[in-house]
Amino acid sequence: MTVPEEWKHGLESDTPPAPYATDGSDYRGALRYHYVVALKRFLKFFPVFVVLWVQLYVFQRDYLLPLGIVGMLGAVWTLILYVGRVSSTRKCAKAFRTYPLAFRTPVEKIGMESTHTLYLRFGDQQGTPFTLRAKDALGRGRWPVGITDGVWFAGDEPFGGAMIVPGGGELLFLQPRDWTAREEDRAGAGPERIEKAKRAGTHRPARR
């Protein structure tokens, strides 16, 4: 579902300033922070759900069945969220380790979907700009504050990449919005760029 046009610029995150450098000099600090936050969120809820689940088998009382079901579903969902956050952060890590970070400005907001997907363009592109699909590594579904002023990007637009937003330090993984439409651009990119994309894991479309 697409967020209404009149909402897309107003939905901004209230993320506090990042506890690491967001000027493109410390992507490792950003990765460490995101891994730690993902683990903390997992440990905050997963043990509670596991206890609710296990107590059903320990006490074997029928009236505990609803709590057991809640515990089972909650544990599975929490695990899925954790795996997704770690996987998204790893995708960003591969891009940062393959490409140098370059400051790109301005960033144009194109739209937003309720699936926590942002669509944007880099305004300094030559010719027809690529519309990129961006996913926050921690699953936040709002525009990072100040994103239109510029970001630190590591990647190659026809394939995708990752970026760090100055200030809040959000990590986002990006790929072309219409992967098939950019096939010609990728095919003509040359062996060096294609090999880099393979190392970065952006040579094929990622799961949404």
Side-chain angles (χ1 to χ4, degrees):
M1 185 181 83
T2 303
V3 172
E5 180 72 20
E6 63 269 20
W7 290 7
K8 75 178 184 183
H9 296 298
L11 292 172
E12 290 193 338
S13 67
D14 55 356
T15 308
Y20 49 85
T22 61
D23 59 358
S25 64
D26 186 25
Y27 74 80
R28 292 180 180 85
L31 293 172
R32 282 194 300 270
Y33 175 81
H34 279 68
Y35 283 130
V36 169
V37 170
L39 181 59
K40 284 182 176 179
R41 292 184 181 181
F42 174 72
L43 294 177
K44 182 178 180 180
F45 297 104
F46 187 74
V48 177
F49 286 126
V50 168
V51 169
L52 291 176
W53 186 4
V54 171
Q55 54 84 34
L56 178 63
Y57 301 97
V58 173
F59 299 107
Q60 297 184 356
R61 296 289 188 269
D62 291 344
Y63 62 82
L64 294 176
L65 181 59
L67 287 178
I69 294 175
V70 170
M72 179 185 67
L73 295 177
V76 171
W77 181 243
T78 304
L79 183 60
I80 290 173
L81 288 177
Y82 175 67
V83 171
R85 288 164 181 161
V86 170
S87 176
S88 294
T89 304
R90 283 179 177 168
K91 289 176 185 176
C92 292
K94 290 181 72 174
F96 292 142
R97 290 166 183 156
T98 304
Y99 297 99
L101 281 159
F103 190 70
R104 305 293 297 272
T105 186
V107 174
E108 180 186 359
K109 295 179 182 179
I110 302 301
M112 177 190 299
E113 288 186 354
S114 60
T115 53
H116 303 291
T117 303
L118 308 177
Y119 296 107
L120 55 87
R121 289 182 191 145
F122 294 135
D124 58 352
Q125 295 179 66
Q126 299 297 319
T128 303
F130 291 84
T131 297
L132 298 168
R133 172 170 50 88
K135 286 273 194 177
D136 185 281
L138 293 178
R140 290 170 292 211
R142 291 174 178 265
W143 289 103
V145 173
I147 190 173
T148 55
D149 296 328
V151 298
W152 289 95
F153 174 70
D156 191 346
E157 282 93 335
F159 300 93
M163 69 184 191
I164 301 175
V165 182
E170 293 91 341
L171 295 187
L172 292 98
F173 182 75
L174 303 91
Q175 284 198 302
R177 180 175 190 171
D178 191 338
W179 181 265
T180 303
R182 295 302 177 182
E183 187 60 43
E184 185 176 346
D185 296 283
R186 290 188 296 275
E192 183 178 348
R193 289 173 63 190
I194 292 173
E195 177 58 30
K196 271 192 169 184
K198 288 180 178 178
R199 294 205 308 270
T202 55
H203 61 295
R204 56 188 176 189
R207 282 181 169 182
R208 296 198 172 207

